[in-house]
Amino acid sequence: MFRHREKQNELSSYRLGGICSLLEIPQSQTFRIVEIKGGAGLHRRLLTLGFHRGDLVSVDCEAAMRGPVLVRNLTTGARVALGRGIAQKILVEPIKTDEV
Amino acid sequence: MKSEIPEIIFIGQPNCGKSTLFNHIAGFKAQTSNFPGTTVSHTHSEVVWKGKVYSIVDLPGTYSLTPYEPQEKVVLTHIFKEKPDLIVNVIDASLLGRSLELTVELLELEYPMVVVLNMMDLAEKKGIKIDTACLEKKLGVPVIKTVAIRGQGTKELMDCLEKVLADKVAPGHLCYSFEVEKRISELIEVFPENFPVVANPRFTAIKAIEAETLSVDRFFLENNRNFKEKLDEVRQELGGLRQAPAYEVLAVERHHLAMKIAEDCSQVHHARISSLEKLDNLIMHPIFGLFLLLLIFAGMFYLIFNVGSPLEACLLRPWEALRLGIQERLGQTLSAELLAGLIQGIGGGLAIVFPYFIPLLLLMGFLEDIGYLSRAAFLLDAFMHRLGLHGKSVPLFILGFGCNVPAIMTTRILESRRDRIVTTLLIPFIPCAARTTIILALVAFLLGPWWAVGFYFLNLVIIAILSSVLTRIFKYSSPGLILEIPSLKWPSPKNILQKTWLNLKEFIRFAWPILIAGSVLLSFLSFINFDRLVNTVLSPFVSGLLGLPQSLGVTLIFGVLRKELSLLMMFQALGVGYEQLLTVITKTQLLTFVTFVNFFIPCISTVAVIWKEMGKRIALISVLLNLSVAILVSWLVRIVSSFF
């Protein structure tokens, strides 16, 4: 449905199988959080909302006009809308196929 | 000294249904909606169950016991200052793992506690099966299942509370991993004398470690250097365990405990996608969702107008006949004038306000209950950023369509003070139910619905312009959006009706008497010709600048009390009934009048709540801002519409 998004990501590190931010991954695929960058304030807030390193997450959808992304935490079941600036600070990696 | 009545506090993460549960137990006291942060301050109630009195308190939702948002601080103050006799931890059963993180933290307090698994119906729909006996064993506290929205399980809960209070058994805390527990005990040993221990030493030590990067930390440094050194050492060692800050290590400990318990005590079967989830996908769709948003609001006002205007017309007739009959029979005497004023006040409230007010409240209640507000925040976040704000302001603006007062109170959910100030200054420009009544009753009813649509559009454009200007004055980059999107829920008609009734009761108790009194007062003033004096003083402004009939001067002033008052008094001042209005004033005058009333100084209750929440400086700015915008825009409306 969102072709433009995939096209734009052709050369992103996701395609290369490496670590990338929540903004770069395709929708409805499972990734694992490896790092949350940014200050202590943001880090703490995300922790309390149930976003930890090691959690499995997927991006459900994103709002129009470069709006926030809707992130589903598959480990805790929470769904949170994150502004792009914040989503960019959450780094994820693809999960190995045998983990699904 | 503590009173004999046991105090029970309800605590849980946002949107877990605490307030709904509380309302079922306490009768209808707390405002609820499917939007995180509805309860911004605590609600208190006394309940009698089987002949005993309990004092129960509904606290704002909090994700953890380390406060980030202002309403979360309310929770901490309450727990620490007024040590409760019993904690009721309400959990969203469909989000078991994450909700248990707060439970683990609460157990550390070692206060008597009961866990309530709420929203069991939703959990079952999601295919989650929870073994309560297992949960009770792991947590060491009683666990009760409820579906608060239907009142299921509340009796069992009350019985359980009674029993736990009688037994006075405090639970033990759960244990972290060995390495972490060791560091915590080390810290407890070096507690200085008369160290302010909250709840118990272990809890205090954990909170001290977590206070890193928070302002409390400086307090430790200033007060006890030795302790502070040990504290930093512990933090460093803890951090070394996971290559992360110490507060994260503790959070992860709780996370693991919570996940482990959730895994052991629940089974997730693959659930089929419910119709609500399919609907949710449509609502959140980037393009279709925006389209739907527009459709919902257009449809809402179309519905209100179509229900309201025929009702209005048929309700007005008898009152109008009564008023004319009295004037005919009694002539120009004081009693006749006062009686006519009284009738206009009563009839105006009944015939003009109710037809629009009730449908609007019902529809707003519906949107709140299904959980649409946070979705609107998500969809419009990017747009709001262009205006210098962020998506979290959207639900507040939508609430403002109902009434500005609760909307301003809920600005507490915004993290930065700057966002709060700007949003608070903008909310009074949202046409609330009272002003919607005026717009629909005058503009839509007399000029046609499309005029009203145009009016709303103009209103939104003005808010957008003001937002851009204000955010440029208060410069500060807005933090990004972090907002939980709760599951979509089928609304409970009972809940919506109760909420509407609550608002309606406020209207009947406070606003309607003001409308009636104001109407009678104006009759009296006009009988002794005092209104002429006011009108003459205001004449250069009212007739000169705005081109309105001179006699409307006094009615504009009264709008400060209640916005509907201007509407009622207008008929009185012009001496005509509703349907003949356009025979005495022109379309331009009507539009100018409505524009002015709409943007004029917020009603007295709105000013009061701004004062209370944000201080008198902001309240004053708000008054001046509204006044200047009202004058400027209504003058522009006059100029522009005179060309047509």
Side-chain angles (χ1 to χ4, degrees), chain B residues 47-61:
Chain B
V47 175
V48 181
W49 178 254
K50 295 189 177 164
K52 275 190 206 151
V53 185
Y54 301 96
S55 158
I56 62 173
V57 178
D58 178 32
L59 292 176

Side-chain angles (χ1 to χ4, degrees), chain B residues 4-47:
Chain B
E4 300 280 301
I5 303 171
E7 193 185 69
I8 301 168
I9 59 168
F10 278 55
I11 181 167
Q13 295 190 331
N15 224 57
C16 67
K18 280 180 313 301
S19 298
T20 313
L21 185 65
F22 178 87
N23 285 337
H24 257 285
I25 293 170
F28 212 78
K29 291 273 166 56
Q31 285 272 10
T32 66
S33 69
N34 191 357
F35 175 66
T38 321
T39 313
V40 280
S41 59
H42 67 84
T43 318
H44 176 261
S45 183
E46 283 192 354
V47 175

